[in-house]
Amino acid sequence: MSERTGLTRLTGGDDKNGNGSGECGQGDCPNVYRTEKGSIVVQGDLFDGFTPPQGEGLVEIPESVLREAVRALGW
């Protein structure tokens, strides 16, 4: 499933030189999204520090990506 219906991408935009930003360069991860309901979805490397409950998952994203999302939200 690669479709992102109902998500607003908060990170991973272009810098002032038109280059893809973020930890993956011009790739597609990691990123932070906001849903139509206002909740946050993160995309990143799987984290295996502990096993979450069934139906949940853990991803690890760099601090710089969270800071970018906070700026995008104006917090």
Side-chain angles (χ1 to χ4, degrees), residues 1-10 32-41:
M1 172 183 352
S2 64
E3 204 170 310
R4 293 177 184 89
T5 304
L7 296 177
T8 300
R9 189 172 176 166
L10 301 175
V32 178
Y33 301 87
R34 188 172 202 175
T35 68
E36 292 173 334
K37 299 183 296 184
S39 60
I40 302 294
V41 175

Side-chain angles (χ1 to χ4, degrees), residues 5-6 10 19 31-32 36 39-40 46 50 52 56 58 66:
T5 304
L10 301 175
N19 301 312
N31 280 298
V32 178
E36 292 173 334
S39 60
I40 302 294
L46 291 177
F50 68 92
E56 295 182 5
L58 303 171
L66 289 178

Side-chain angles (χ1 to χ4, degrees), residues 4 9 11-12 20-33 42-46 59-62 65 68:
R4 293 177 184 89
R9 189 172 176 166
T11 58
S21 64
E23 302 295 318
C24 291
Q26 294 202 9
D28 198 29
C29 68
N31 280 298
V32 178
Y33 301 87
V42 296
Q43 172 188 352
D45 295 329
L46 291 177
V59 297
E60 184 174 11
I61 63 172
V65 174
E68 184 181 351

Side-chain angles (χ1 to χ4, degrees), residues 51-75:
T51 303
Q54 185 173 0
E56 295 182 5
L58 303 171
V59 297
E60 184 174 11
I61 63 172
E63 180 181 332
S64 61
V65 174
L66 289 178
R67 288 182 182 278
E68 184 181 351
V70 167
R71 280 192 299 274
L73 289 167
W75 292 353

